[in-house]
Amino acid sequence: MSDNQTIHRAAEIIKEGGIVAFPTETVYGLGADAFNPLAVARIFEVKRRPYFDPLIIHVANPSNVEELVKEIPSSAKRLIERFWPGPLTVVLLKEENIPDIVTAGLPTVAIRMPNHPMALALIKECKCPIAAPSANPFGYLSPTTAEHVRDQLGDQVDLILDGGPCPVGVESTILSFLEEKPRLLRPGGVSLEEIESIIGKVEISPIKDRPSAPGMLPKHYAPRTPIVFDWSEKNLDLYEDKNIGLLVLQEPKNNLKFHFVEVLSKKGDLREAAANLFAAIRRLDALNLDLIVAKPIPEIGLGRAIMDRLRRATSKGE
Ligand code: TXA
Ligand code: MG
């Protein structure tokens, strides 16, 4: 089947109440018709996701936001104009017609327009907005290839659209517009610096205090193998007989003690590093190591999203 035929089939499935995994520029999503509560419920079941964790609605045109929300503040409008289609999600007061299961009963809804030709073609062909979380079991790393989805959710989804590796590699940036000042709920594919260059300073929630982003539990994006940040040569001696993997931005000078080293970007480019992040952690996780050591990355640009995901991956508590 050609891509067009597969997208057509995927749209039919969604219109009939099925669920489809599809590529976006950030990560693969698992989508259903946002106005079909039963279809959306299947997403929660397949992911084993708690119902208190709301989904993002994906649209194919900025004008579609108007029918989903009460109003769009001017700062949100300016960001939408600048960054859509792209990895920016806006949280606004929702219109009553959106099913509660999508928003976990909140008075707000998260919306974005993805920048991927397959995602956009799919949403246009369905003629409905698509509610979609990342296409991974709850709490695990997001998938950045169709194969990642196949490995973990395979026969539980009705169809997987393969659009190759996701170019951005970390999820969208989530900004809430419910207070006077916009608030960053999740750092992601659009950097804080880019956002602040358009609308000025935004509020930044500390990781432990995010009542408005129920899905941002401390332990998230976690591989099976334990990940730690703190390491020193002395530390490593304690693990003499253990297999330890290293996750670093650039090639380390001395990596003799590590069983395997994943370099995120040879030239130290944070965009390239973000695009490689989840696949690199998955590769390390597949090696049955005793431990993964992650070397902290500068928290500028996409480094902020990378460190946010790594912190959650290293976190011990739910
Ligand atoms: O890049 C992305 O955003 C990907 C692709 C597939 O679009 N999607 C994604 O969805 O990362 P998910 O479900 O894995 O993460 C969505 C996050 C969750 O932490 C959820 O709690 C938060 O968005 N969220 C959704 N609706 C919200 C709302 N109304 N208020 C606050 N947070 C919300
Ligand atoms: Mg997710």
Side-chain angles (χ1 to χ4, degrees):
M1 273 207 276
S2 71
D3 276 356
N4 280 345
Q5 286 169 316
T6 319
I7 290 168
H8 181 74
R9 178 75 200 112
E12 291 293 314
I13 290 172
I14 286 193
K15 281 190 275 188
E16 288 159 12
I19 56 174
V20 168
F22 63 98
T24 79
E25 79 282 28
T26 58
V27 301
Y28 275 70
L30 181 58
D33 175 354
F35 286 105
N36 183 335
L38 279 181
V40 174
R42 234 186 102 202
I43 292 180
F44 282 88
E45 276 162 33
V46 164
K47 275 189 63 109
R48 275 169 272 126
R49 179 176 175 119
Y51 286 97
F52 62 71
D53 189 1
L55 306 185
I56 296 174
I57 294 188
H58 297 68
V59 296
N61 194 311
S63 65
N64 295 138
V65 177
E66 283 156 32
E67 42 216 67
L68 300 171
V69 304
K70 298 261 192 243
E71 64 167 337
I72 314 174
S74 68
S75 50
K77 273 191 194 139
R78 272 184 285 156
L79 292 176
I80 286 172
E81 264 168 40
R82 171 67 183 77
F83 296 113
W84 280 13
L88 173 74
T89 296
V90 296
V91 173
L92 302 167
L93 273 181
K94 72 160 197 166
E95 206 47 273
E96 262 83 52
N97 57 351
I98 301 173
D100 275 340
I101 188 167
V102 173
T103 61
L106 293 172
T108 58
V109 60
I111 310 174
R112 84 177 192 99
M113 176 180 174
N115 187 14
H116 194 290
M118 271 192 170
L120 292 172
L122 176 66
I123 303 164
K124 279 184 191 146
E125 187 137 356
C126 298
K127 298 195 175 60
C128 62
I130 293 185
S134 50
N136 52 282
F138 183 71
Y140 197 70
L141 302 165
S142 297
T144 51
T145 66
E147 202 185 346
H148 293 164
V149 183
R150 225 171 280 128
D151 284 349
Q152 291 191 302
L153 300 178
D155 50 5
Q156 300 181 77
V157 304
D158 299 318
L159 191 118
I160 300 172
L161 281 174
D162 190 344
C166 301
V168 175
V170 289
E171 300 82 350
S172 60
T173 302
I174 307 182
L175 269 189
S176 158
F177 294 87
L178 303 180
E179 300 152 276
E180 207 175 315
K181 249 193 194 174
R183 182 178 291 271
L184 180 73
L185 299 183
R186 177 175 76 181
V190 175
S191 73
L192 186 63
E193 292 89 335
E194 288 175 290
I195 287 168
E196 292 190 331
S197 76
I198 310 280
I199 58 166
K201 280 271 173 237
V202 304
E203 302 281 350
I204 300 169
S205 310
I207 268 180
K208 284 203 182 88
D209 174 29
R210 282 186 180 165
S212 50
M216 299 304 282
L217 297 170
K219 187 172 172 67
H220 220 84
Y221 308 102
R224 282 178 301 270
T225 319
I227 300 197
V228 296
F229 277 127
D230 44 84
W231 62 299
S232 66
E233 288 293 316
K234 215 168 60 204
N235 239 339
L236 285 177
D237 287 339
L238 296 174
Y239 289 98
E240 196 96 64
D241 55 339
K242 299 269 191 281
N243 285 334
I244 303 178
L246 177 67
L247 183 70
V248 274
L249 181 59
Q250 286 178 285
E251 197 80 53
K253 285 184 196 81
N254 170 5
N255 61 14
L256 295 177
K257 301 215 166 164
F258 294 100
H259 186 74
F260 198 86
V261 178
E262 278 286 350
V263 174
L264 292 173
S265 167
K266 276 199 176 129
K267 45 183 196 291
D269 179 66
L270 292 171
R271 278 190 187 276
E272 185 180 31
N276 288 329
L277 180 68
F278 289 145
I281 300 177
R282 274 172 195 268
R283 280 192 295 271
L284 287 170
D285 204 18
L287 295 175
N288 285 320
L289 300 165
D290 297 298
L291 186 72
I292 299 169
V293 170
K295 194 161 177 233
I297 279 165
E299 292 196 60
I300 43 165
L302 285 203
R304 190 184 288 269
I306 295 174
M307 281 301 286
D308 174 84
R309 305 308 186 266
L310 283 176
R311 277 201 192 96
R312 288 173 206 288
T314 60
S315 167
K316 288 188 183 65
E318 281 279 350

